[in-house]
Amino acid sequence: MDVSQPTMSRKYKKLRNKIEEARFSPVDKRAILEEQINQRLRSIAVVTAAIIPAEEVISLQKNMNRQTSYSQKLKQKLTMIQEKEGVIEWVFIFIMTEDGRLIHLVADKGFVIEPGEEYIGPPEMVNVAYQAFNGKAGVTPIYEDRYGEWKTSFAPIIDDEGNIVAIVGCDYSKSYFNSEMQRLRKQLNIHV
């Protein structure tokens, strides 16, 4: 056939990729892309939770005054994370009361909920937050609350004894998520 082995291998690989691509429906392809983005967002929440000192969170829980040194230090740290990452809209720490209410403890400087205020949100967001309080980092589907449309990643903040003392959340706008989906589709040349 007068075709070299490397050329034949390239042609076979290209054909195999087309066949594999044809097996997935547009819904399947979108789910795969979304999971790739979710893995990155989950990782950011986990790393953020790991750098938050649990002792400072515990001390702040005992005295929720916004003027304490722990409050100011944590607010600065969360603001630095939010600014450095550049795509996070808000970074915040929630605690949970014994009756299951989510209470805002501290956040970056632009967060709209006051410390000590209860967050009441849609079930798809609250369920992922509760899972984080049970030790499982996760990412919400896109949801809408009174502040906008978001995708949020949560991870537990764990003390030295392995107890979950709070959760950290990172909010991403719906427009950011959609632009990331589009960027991935172009980068991987996937038509959804």
Side-chain angles (χ1 to χ4, degrees):
M1 290 186 353
D2 206 20
V3 177
S4 70
Q5 178 60 38
T7 300
M8 194 63 170
S9 294
R10 270 194 314 276
K11 288 182 181 282
Y12 172 74
K13 186 176 179 181
K14 192 174 184 180
L15 179 62
R16 189 182 72 215
N17 288 343
K18 281 185 180 181
I19 291 169
E20 285 179 17
E21 187 176 312
R23 289 183 189 161
F24 292 110
S25 72
V27 172
D28 292 336
K29 290 176 189 178
R30 180 174 172 77
I32 290 167
L33 293 177
E34 186 168 352
E35 183 51 36
Q36 290 302 306
I37 294 170
N38 286 350
Q39 285 177 10
R40 188 174 62 223
L41 302 183
R42 189 179 302 110
S43 296
I44 291 169
V46 168
V47 169
T48 301
I51 64 172
I52 302 296
E55 322 73 67
E56 291 179 14
V57 173
I58 293 167
S59 295
L60 185 55
Q61 284 180 21
K62 292 176 183 172
N63 179 9
M64 291 182 63
N65 182 341
R66 287 186 282 180
Q67 304 309 318
T68 66
S69 63
Y70 293 118
S71 177
Q72 294 303 314
K73 277 200 306 193
L74 286 169
K75 185 176 195 160
Q76 287 174 347
K77 188 173 282 194
L78 296 173
T79 299
M80 180 200 68
I81 291 165
Q82 186 255 350
E83 289 173 350
K84 196 170 200 170
E85 194 59 37
V87 296
I88 301 173
E89 191 74 28
W90 293 315
V91 183
F92 51 88
I93 296 175
F94 281 169
I95 56 175
M96 186 168 57
T97 63
E98 288 183 16
D99 60 353
R101 294 180 301 128
L102 297 176
I103 305 296
H104 168 230
L105 187 64
V106 66
D108 65 82
K109 67 181 179 186
F111 199 58
V112 294
I113 302 174
E114 291 295 318
E117 188 178 330
E118 179 181 4
Y119 174 78
I120 300 171
E124 57 268 33
M125 184 275 197
V126 173
N127 289 339
V128 178
Y130 287 157
Q131 288 174 11
F133 277 110
N134 287 312
K136 183 180 179 198
V139 180
T140 68
I142 291 176
Y143 65 92
E144 185 173 356
D145 64 12
R146 67 184 192 171
Y147 308 104
E149 293 182 286
W150 312 103
K151 192 169 202 42
T152 303
S153 58
F154 286 107
I157 298 173
I158 302 171
D159 68 11
D160 293 337
E161 285 88 44
N163 300 311
I164 297 167
V165 298
I167 60 171
V168 67
C170 301
D171 279 346
Y172 301 86
S173 69
K174 179 181 177 181
S175 62
Y176 165 74
F177 173 74
N178 288 338
S179 68
E180 279 299 288
M181 287 289 285
Q182 187 174 11
R183 185 188 65 77
L184 261 181
R185 279 195 297 256
K186 284 181 182 176
Q187 186 178 20
L188 298 173
N189 196 23
I190 295 176
H191 306 287
V192 179

PDB file of all heavy atoms in Angstrom, residues 56-86:
ATOM      1  N   GLU A  56      -8.119  28.315  64.565  1.00  0.00           N
ATOM      2  CA  GLU A  56      -8.645  29.669  64.384  1.00  0.00           C
ATOM      3  C   GLU A  56     -10.152  29.640  64.163  1.00  0.00           C
ATOM      4  O   GLU A  56     -10.882  30.503  64.663  1.00  0.00           O
ATOM      5  CB  GLU A  56      -7.943  30.370  63.217  1.00  0.00           C
ATOM      6  CG  GLU A  56      -6.494  30.704  63.510  1.00  0.00           C
ATOM      7  CD  GLU A  56      -5.783  31.385  62.346  1.00  0.00           C
ATOM      8  OE1 GLU A  56      -6.453  31.849  61.411  1.00  0.00           O
ATOM      9  OE2 GLU A  56      -4.540  31.459  62.392  1.00  0.00           O
ATOM     10  N   VAL A  57     -10.622  28.648  63.429  1.00  0.00           N
ATOM     11  CA  VAL A  57     -12.057  28.509  63.186  1.00  0.00           C
ATOM     12  C   VAL A  57     -12.772  28.208  64.498  1.00  0.00           C
ATOM     13  O   VAL A  57     -13.814  28.807  64.811  1.00  0.00           O
ATOM     14  CB  VAL A  57     -12.340  27.410  62.136  1.00  0.00           C
ATOM     15  CG1 VAL A  57     -13.835  27.142  62.003  1.00  0.00           C
ATOM     16  CG2 VAL A  57     -11.746  27.796  60.785  1.00  0.00           C
ATOM     17  N   ILE A  58     -12.212  27.309  65.303  1.00  0.00           N
ATOM     18  CA  ILE A  58     -12.807  26.964  66.599  1.00  0.00           C
ATOM     19  C   ILE A  58     -12.844  28.190  67.510  1.00  0.00           C
ATOM     20  O   ILE A  58     -13.864  28.465  68.159  1.00  0.00           O
ATOM     21  CB  ILE A  58     -12.037  25.794  67.254  1.00  0.00           C
ATOM     22  CG1 ILE A  58     -12.228  24.512  66.434  1.00  0.00           C
ATOM     23  CG2 ILE A  58     -12.471  25.590  68.708  1.00  0.00           C
ATOM     24  CD1 ILE A  58     -11.274  23.389  66.794  1.00  0.00           C
ATOM     25  N   SER A  59     -11.750  28.942  67.556  1.00  0.00           N
ATOM     26  CA  SER A  59     -11.712  30.153  68.388  1.00  0.00           C
ATOM     27  C   SER A  59     -12.742  31.168  67.924  1.00  0.00           C
ATOM     28  O   SER A  59     -13.387  31.824  68.750  1.00  0.00           O
ATOM     29  CB  SER A  59     -10.307  30.773  68.365  1.00  0.00           C
ATOM     30  OG  SER A  59      -9.390  29.901  68.968  1.00  0.00           O
ATOM     31  N   LEU A  60     -12.905  31.298  66.625  1.00  0.00           N
ATOM     32  CA  LEU A  60     -13.878  32.250  66.094  1.00  0.00           C
ATOM     33  C   LEU A  60     -15.309  31.798  66.401  1.00  0.00           C
ATOM     34  O   LEU A  60     -16.176  32.629  66.684  1.00  0.00           O
ATOM     35  CB  LEU A  60     -13.683  32.432  64.590  1.00  0.00           C
ATOM     36  CG  LEU A  60     -14.545  33.487  63.914  1.00  0.00           C
ATOM     37  CD1 LEU A  60     -14.377  34.850  64.581  1.00  0.00           C
ATOM     38  CD2 LEU A  60     -14.190  33.593  62.433  1.00  0.00           C
ATOM     39  N   GLN A  61     -15.551  30.500  66.403  1.00  0.00           N
ATOM     40  CA  GLN A  61     -16.885  29.979  66.752  1.00  0.00           C
ATOM     41  C   GLN A  61     -17.254  30.363  68.185  1.00  0.00           C
ATOM     42  O   GLN A  61     -18.411  30.641  68.475  1.00  0.00           O
ATOM     43  CB  GLN A  61     -16.932  28.458  66.617  1.00  0.00           C
ATOM     44  CG  GLN A  61     -17.003  27.972  65.208  1.00  0.00           C
ATOM     45  CD  GLN A  61     -17.039  26.451  65.132  1.00  0.00           C
ATOM     46  OE1 GLN A  61     -17.379  25.771  66.089  1.00  0.00           O
ATOM     47  NE2 GLN A  61     -16.686  25.918  63.987  1.00  0.00           N
ATOM     48  N   LYS A  62     -16.257  30.364  69.072  1.00  0.00           N
ATOM     49  CA  LYS A  62     -16.506  30.698  70.475  1.00  0.00           C
ATOM     50  C   LYS A  62     -16.820  32.182  70.650  1.00  0.00           C
ATOM     51  O   LYS A  62     -17.521  32.558  71.576  1.00  0.00           O
ATOM     52  CB  LYS A  62     -15.303  30.299  71.327  1.00  0.00           C
ATOM     53  CG  LYS A  62     -15.119  28.802  71.413  1.00  0.00           C
ATOM     54  CD  LYS A  62     -13.871  28.445  72.164  1.00  0.00           C
ATOM     55  CE  LYS A  62     -13.678  26.933  72.174  1.00  0.00           C
ATOM     56  NZ  LYS A  62     -12.386  26.558  72.738  1.00  0.00           N
ATOM     57  N   ASN A  63     -16.258  33.023  69.772  1.00  0.00           N
ATOM     58  CA  ASN A  63     -16.494  34.464  69.847  1.00  0.00           C
ATOM     59  C   ASN A  63     -16.654  34.973  68.425  1.00  0.00           C
ATOM     60  O   ASN A  63     -15.672  35.267  67.752  1.00  0.00           O
ATOM     61  CB  ASN A  63     -15.334  35.166  70.558  1.00  0.00           C
ATOM     62  CG  ASN A  63     -15.528  36.663  70.623  1.00  0.00           C
ATOM     63  OD1 ASN A  63     -16.592  37.190  70.296  1.00  0.00           O
ATOM     64  ND2 ASN A  63     -14.491  37.363  71.042  1.00  0.00           N
ATOM     65  N   MET A  64     -17.891  35.071  67.955  1.00  0.00           N
ATOM     66  CA  MET A  64     -18.161  35.414  66.554  1.00  0.00           C
ATOM     67  C   MET A  64     -18.063  36.914  66.265  1.00  0.00           C
ATOM     68  O   MET A  64     -18.505  37.384  65.235  1.00  0.00           O
ATOM     69  CB  MET A  64     -19.515  34.866  66.116  1.00  0.00           C
ATOM     70  CG  MET A  64     -19.492  33.356  66.035  1.00  0.00           C
ATOM     71  SD  MET A  64     -21.015  32.619  65.471  1.00  0.00           S
ATOM     72  CE  MET A  64     -21.186  33.235  63.836  1.00  0.00           C
ATOM     73  N   ASN A  65     -17.444  37.661  67.143  1.00  0.00           N
ATOM     74  CA  ASN A  65     -17.244  39.085  66.939  1.00  0.00           C
ATOM     75  C   ASN A  65     -16.358  39.306  65.711  1.00  0.00           C
ATOM     76  O   ASN A  65     -15.285  38.735  65.599  1.00  0.00           O
ATOM     77  CB  ASN A  65     -16.592  39.689  68.191  1.00  0.00           C
ATOM     78  CG  ASN A  65     -16.388  41.177  68.086  1.00  0.00           C
ATOM     79  OD1 ASN A  65     -16.396  41.762  67.002  1.00  0.00           O
ATOM     80  ND2 ASN A  65     -16.196  41.797  69.233  1.00  0.00           N
ATOM     81  N   ARG A  66     -16.809  40.161  64.783  1.00  0.00           N
ATOM     82  CA  ARG A  66     -16.056  40.411  63.543  1.00  0.00           C
ATOM     83  C   ARG A  66     -14.723  41.121  63.780  1.00  0.00           C
ATOM     84  O   ARG A  66     -13.888  41.171  62.903  1.00  0.00           O
ATOM     85  CB  ARG A  66     -16.897  41.240  62.575  1.00  0.00           C
ATOM     86  CG  ARG A  66     -17.995  40.459  61.951  1.00  0.00           C
ATOM     87  CD  ARG A  66     -18.679  41.273  60.922  1.00  0.00           C
ATOM     88  NE  ARG A  66     -19.579  42.215  61.598  1.00  0.00           N
ATOM     89  CZ  ARG A  66     -20.333  43.081  60.989  1.00  0.00           C
ATOM     90  NH1 ARG A  66     -20.312  43.171  59.689  1.00  0.00           N
ATOM     91  NH2 ARG A  66     -21.123  43.883  61.658  1.00  0.00           N
ATOM     92  N   GLN A  67     -14.540  41.679  64.966  1.00  0.00           N
ATOM     93  CA  GLN A  67     -13.330  42.451  65.234  1.00  0.00           C
ATOM     94  C   GLN A  67     -12.217  41.630  65.872  1.00  0.00           C
ATOM     95  O   GLN A  67     -11.139  42.147  66.111  1.00  0.00           O
ATOM     96  CB  GLN A  67     -13.667  43.652  66.135  1.00  0.00           C
ATOM     97  CG  GLN A  67     -14.745  44.563  65.569  1.00  0.00           C
ATOM     98  CD  GLN A  67     -14.492  45.005  64.128  1.00  0.00           C
ATOM     99  OE1 GLN A  67     -13.373  45.331  63.751  1.00  0.00           O
ATOM    100  NE2 GLN A  67     -15.524  44.973  63.301  1.00  0.00           N
ATOM    101  N   THR A  68     -12.440  40.341  66.134  1.00  0.00           N
ATOM    102  CA  THR A  68     -11.395  39.532  66.750  1.00  0.00           C
ATOM    103  C   THR A  68     -10.250  39.325  65.765  1.00  0.00           C
ATOM    104  O   THR A  68     -10.420  39.420  64.549  1.00  0.00           O
ATOM    105  CB  THR A  68     -11.927  38.143  67.183  1.00  0.00           C
ATOM    106  OG1 THR A  68     -12.291  37.419  66.012  1.00  0.00           O
ATOM    107  CG2 THR A  68     -13.089  38.260  68.144  1.00  0.00           C
ATOM    108  N   SER A  69      -9.091  39.044  66.316  1.00  0.00           N
ATOM    109  CA  SER A  69      -7.929  38.823  65.458  1.00  0.00           C
ATOM    110  C   SER A  69      -8.131  37.596  64.561  1.00  0.00           C
ATOM    111  O   SER A  69      -7.696  37.576  63.411  1.00  0.00           O
ATOM    112  CB  SER A  69      -6.655  38.680  66.289  1.00  0.00           C
ATOM    113  OG  SER A  69      -6.731  37.548  67.122  1.00  0.00           O
ATOM    114  N   TYR A  70      -8.807  36.562  65.089  1.00  0.00           N
ATOM    115  CA  TYR A  70      -9.062  35.372  64.271  1.00  0.00           C
ATOM    116  C   TYR A  70      -9.962  35.708  63.088  1.00  0.00           C
ATOM    117  O   TYR A  70      -9.727  35.261  61.977  1.00  0.00           O
ATOM    118  CB  TYR A  70      -9.695  34.255  65.105  1.00  0.00           C
ATOM    119  CG  TYR A  70      -8.774  33.698  66.150  1.00  0.00           C
ATOM    120  CD1 TYR A  70      -9.093  33.787  67.499  1.00  0.00           C
ATOM    121  CD2 TYR A  70      -7.580  33.089  65.798  1.00  0.00           C
ATOM    122  CE1 TYR A  70      -8.243  33.282  68.462  1.00  0.00           C
ATOM    123  CE2 TYR A  70      -6.725  32.581  66.743  1.00  0.00           C
ATOM    124  CZ  TYR A  70      -7.056  32.686  68.083  1.00  0.00           C
ATOM    125  OH  TYR A  70      -6.207  32.185  69.032  1.00  0.00           O
ATOM    126  N   SER A  71     -10.979  36.514  63.347  1.00  0.00           N
ATOM    127  CA  SER A  71     -11.890  36.916  62.277  1.00  0.00           C
ATOM    128  C   SER A  71     -11.147  37.694  61.199  1.00  0.00           C
ATOM    129  O   SER A  71     -11.293  37.430  60.001  1.00  0.00           O
ATOM    130  CB  SER A  71     -13.035  37.765  62.846  1.00  0.00           C
ATOM    131  OG  SER A  71     -13.873  38.203  61.806  1.00  0.00           O
ATOM    132  N   GLN A  72     -10.330  38.645  61.626  1.00  0.00           N
ATOM    133  CA  GLN A  72      -9.589  39.465  60.672  1.00  0.00           C
ATOM    134  C   GLN A  72      -8.567  38.641  59.883  1.00  0.00           C
ATOM    135  O   GLN A  72      -8.432  38.794  58.673  1.00  0.00           O
ATOM    136  CB  GLN A  72      -8.898  40.637  61.392  1.00  0.00           C
ATOM    137  CG  GLN A  72      -9.874  41.637  61.987  1.00  0.00           C
ATOM    138  CD  GLN A  72     -10.818  42.213  60.947  1.00  0.00           C
ATOM    139  OE1 GLN A  72     -10.413  42.600  59.863  1.00  0.00           O
ATOM    140  NE2 GLN A  72     -12.103  42.257  61.279  1.00  0.00           N
ATOM    141  N   LYS A  73      -7.855  37.729  60.582  1.00  0.00           N
ATOM    142  CA  LYS A  73      -6.867  36.883  59.896  1.00  0.00           C
ATOM    143  C   LYS A  73      -7.525  35.969  58.873  1.00  0.00           C
ATOM    144  O   LYS A  73      -7.046  35.832  57.746  1.00  0.00           O
ATOM    145  CB  LYS A  73      -6.070  36.041  60.905  1.00  0.00           C
ATOM    146  CG  LYS A  73      -4.928  36.781  61.527  1.00  0.00           C
ATOM    147  CD  LYS A  73      -3.841  35.927  62.133  1.00  0.00           C
ATOM    148  CE  LYS A  73      -4.225  34.922  63.131  1.00  0.00           C
ATOM    149  NZ  LYS A  73      -3.120  34.339  63.891  1.00  0.00           N
ATOM    150  N   LEU A  74      -8.625  35.338  59.280  1.00  0.00           N
ATOM    151  CA  LEU A  74      -9.308  34.438  58.352  1.00  0.00           C
ATOM    152  C   LEU A  74      -9.895  35.208  57.180  1.00  0.00           C
ATOM    153  O   LEU A  74      -9.828  34.747  56.039  1.00  0.00           O
ATOM    154  CB  LEU A  74     -10.397  33.649  59.081  1.00  0.00           C
ATOM    155  CG  LEU A  74      -9.896  32.525  59.989  1.00  0.00           C
ATOM    156  CD1 LEU A  74     -11.014  31.980  60.858  1.00  0.00           C
ATOM    157  CD2 LEU A  74      -9.258  31.415  59.164  1.00  0.00           C
ATOM    158  N   LYS A  75     -10.458  36.366  57.427  1.00  0.00           N
ATOM    159  CA  LYS A  75     -11.017  37.187  56.349  1.00  0.00           C
ATOM    160  C   LYS A  75      -9.919  37.574  55.351  1.00  0.00           C
ATOM    161  O   LYS A  75     -10.113  37.494  54.142  1.00  0.00           O
ATOM    162  CB  LYS A  75     -11.675  38.443  56.930  1.00  0.00           C
ATOM    163  CG  LYS A  75     -12.374  39.282  55.910  1.00  0.00           C
ATOM    164  CD  LYS A  75     -13.079  40.450  56.581  1.00  0.00           C
ATOM    165  CE  LYS A  75     -14.054  41.052  55.603  1.00  0.00           C
ATOM    166  NZ  LYS A  75     -15.073  41.832  56.270  1.00  0.00           N
ATOM    167  N   GLN A  76      -8.750  37.959  55.860  1.00  0.00           N
ATOM    168  CA  GLN A  76      -7.631  38.301  54.979  1.00  0.00           C
ATOM    169  C   GLN A  76      -7.176  37.091  54.165  1.00  0.00           C
ATOM    170  O   GLN A  76      -6.900  37.202  52.972  1.00  0.00           O
ATOM    171  CB  GLN A  76      -6.456  38.851  55.794  1.00  0.00           C
ATOM    172  CG  GLN A  76      -6.686  40.241  56.325  1.00  0.00           C
ATOM    173  CD  GLN A  76      -5.568  40.704  57.248  1.00  0.00           C
ATOM    174  OE1 GLN A  76      -4.725  39.922  57.683  1.00  0.00           O
ATOM    175  NE2 GLN A  76      -5.566  41.992  57.559  1.00  0.00           N
ATOM    176  N   LYS A  77      -7.098  35.940  54.823  1.00  0.00           N
ATOM    177  CA  LYS A  77      -6.661  34.725  54.132  1.00  0.00           C
ATOM    178  C   LYS A  77      -7.650  34.347  53.024  1.00  0.00           C
ATOM    179  O   LYS A  77      -7.256  34.034  51.894  1.00  0.00           O
ATOM    180  CB  LYS A  77      -6.504  33.577  55.126  1.00  0.00           C
ATOM    181  CG  LYS A  77      -5.870  32.336  54.524  1.00  0.00           C
ATOM    182  CD  LYS A  77      -5.590  31.299  55.582  1.00  0.00           C
ATOM    183  CE  LYS A  77      -4.350  31.723  56.319  1.00  0.00           C
ATOM    184  NZ  LYS A  77      -3.764  30.699  57.157  1.00  0.00           N
ATOM    185  N   LEU A  78      -8.946  34.397  53.334  1.00  0.00           N
ATOM    186  CA  LEU A  78      -9.966  34.052  52.340  1.00  0.00           C
ATOM    187  C   LEU A  78      -9.990  35.064  51.198  1.00  0.00           C
ATOM    188  O   LEU A  78     -10.154  34.688  50.036  1.00  0.00           O
ATOM    189  CB  LEU A  78     -11.333  33.943  53.004  1.00  0.00           C
ATOM    190  CG  LEU A  78     -11.477  32.821  54.045  1.00  0.00           C
ATOM    191  CD1 LEU A  78     -12.814  32.909  54.751  1.00  0.00           C
ATOM    192  CD2 LEU A  78     -11.266  31.453  53.423  1.00  0.00           C
ATOM    193  N   THR A  79      -9.786  36.326  51.508  1.00  0.00           N
ATOM    194  CA  THR A  79      -9.727  37.361  50.468  1.00  0.00           C
ATOM    195  C   THR A  79      -8.524  37.131  49.563  1.00  0.00           C
ATOM    196  O   THR A  79      -8.628  37.237  48.335  1.00  0.00           O
ATOM    197  CB  THR A  79      -9.677  38.765  51.099  1.00  0.00           C
ATOM    198  OG1 THR A  79     -10.872  38.962  51.865  1.00  0.00           O
ATOM    199  CG2 THR A  79      -9.568  39.844  50.042  1.00  0.00           C
ATOM    200  N   MET A  80      -7.385  36.775  50.157  1.00  0.00           N
ATOM    201  CA  MET A  80      -6.184  36.498  49.367  1.00  0.00           C
ATOM    202  C   MET A  80      -6.419  35.314  48.428  1.00  0.00           C
ATOM    203  O   MET A  80      -6.063  35.351  47.253  1.00  0.00           O
ATOM    204  CB  MET A  80      -5.000  36.210  50.280  1.00  0.00           C
ATOM    205  CG  MET A  80      -3.713  35.921  49.524  1.00  0.00           C
ATOM    206  SD  MET A  80      -2.492  35.045  50.513  1.00  0.00           S
ATOM    207  CE  MET A  80      -3.264  33.463  50.713  1.00  0.00           C
ATOM    208  N   ILE A  81      -7.059  34.262  48.925  1.00  0.00           N
ATOM    209  CA  ILE A  81      -7.361  33.086  48.093  1.00  0.00           C
ATOM    210  C   ILE A  81      -8.272  33.489  46.943  1.00  0.00           C
ATOM    211  O   ILE A  81      -8.028  33.144  45.788  1.00  0.00           O
ATOM    212  CB  ILE A  81      -7.996  31.967  48.942  1.00  0.00           C
ATOM    213  CG1 ILE A  81      -6.967  31.394  49.907  1.00  0.00           C
ATOM    214  CG2 ILE A  81      -8.593  30.874  48.059  1.00  0.00           C
ATOM    215  CD1 ILE A  81      -7.550  30.544  51.014  1.00  0.00           C
ATOM    216  N   GLN A  82      -9.312  34.233  47.271  1.00  0.00           N
ATOM    217  CA  GLN A  82     -10.276  34.673  46.249  1.00  0.00           C
ATOM    218  C   GLN A  82      -9.603  35.524  45.181  1.00  0.00           C
ATOM    219  O   GLN A  82      -9.809  35.333  43.993  1.00  0.00           O
ATOM    220  CB  GLN A  82     -11.423  35.442  46.926  1.00  0.00           C
ATOM    221  CG  GLN A  82     -12.540  35.814  46.004  1.00  0.00           C
ATOM    222  CD  GLN A  82     -12.527  37.286  45.646  1.00  0.00           C
ATOM    223  OE1 GLN A  82     -11.807  38.094  46.212  1.00  0.00           O
ATOM    224  NE2 GLN A  82     -13.327  37.619  44.672  1.00  0.00           N
ATOM    225  N   GLU A  83      -8.754  36.455  45.600  1.00  0.00           N
ATOM    226  CA  GLU A  83      -8.081  37.336  44.645  1.00  0.00           C
ATOM    227  C   GLU A  83      -7.028  36.591  43.840  1.00  0.00           C
ATOM    228  O   GLU A  83      -6.884  36.801  42.641  1.00  0.00           O
ATOM    229  CB  GLU A  83      -7.456  38.520  45.379  1.00  0.00           C
ATOM    230  CG  GLU A  83      -8.493  39.493  45.908  1.00  0.00           C
ATOM    231  CD  GLU A  83      -7.911  40.585  46.794  1.00  0.00           C
ATOM    232  OE1 GLU A  83      -6.715  40.498  47.177  1.00  0.00           O
ATOM    233  OE2 GLU A  83      -8.670  41.527  47.122  1.00  0.00           O
ATOM    234  N   LYS A  84      -6.285  35.715  44.501  1.00  0.00           N
ATOM    235  CA  LYS A  84      -5.218  34.975  43.820  1.00  0.00           C
ATOM    236  C   LYS A  84      -5.778  34.001  42.787  1.00  0.00           C
ATOM    237  O   LYS A  84      -5.249  33.864  41.694  1.00  0.00           O
ATOM    238  CB  LYS A  84      -4.366  34.234  44.845  1.00  0.00           C
ATOM    239  CG  LYS A  84      -3.054  33.754  44.328  1.00  0.00           C
ATOM    240  CD  LYS A  84      -2.200  33.266  45.466  1.00  0.00           C
ATOM    241  CE  LYS A  84      -0.771  33.266  45.007  1.00  0.00           C
ATOM    242  NZ  LYS A  84       0.161  33.032  46.079  1.00  0.00           N
ATOM    243  N   GLU A  85      -6.851  33.321  43.157  1.00  0.00           N
ATOM    244  CA  GLU A  85      -7.457  32.351  42.237  1.00  0.00           C
ATOM    245  C   GLU A  85      -8.081  33.084  41.048  1.00  0.00           C
ATOM    246  O   GLU A  85      -8.034  32.611  39.927  1.00  0.00           O
ATOM    247  CB  GLU A  85      -8.483  31.509  42.989  1.00  0.00           C
ATOM    248  CG  GLU A  85      -8.936  30.282  42.272  1.00  0.00           C
ATOM    249  CD  GLU A  85      -7.823  29.320  41.928  1.00  0.00           C
ATOM    250  OE1 GLU A  85      -6.875  29.146  42.701  1.00  0.00           O
ATOM    251  OE2 GLU A  85      -7.914  28.725  40.837  1.00  0.00           O
ATOM    252  N   GLY A  86      -8.697  34.236  41.312  1.00  0.00           N
ATOM    253  CA  GLY A  86      -9.196  35.085  40.233  1.00  0.00           C
ATOM    254  C   GLY A  86     -10.538  34.711  39.641  1.00  0.00           C
ATOM    255  O   GLY A  86     -11.182  35.538  39.033  1.00  0.00           O
TER     256      GLY A  86
END
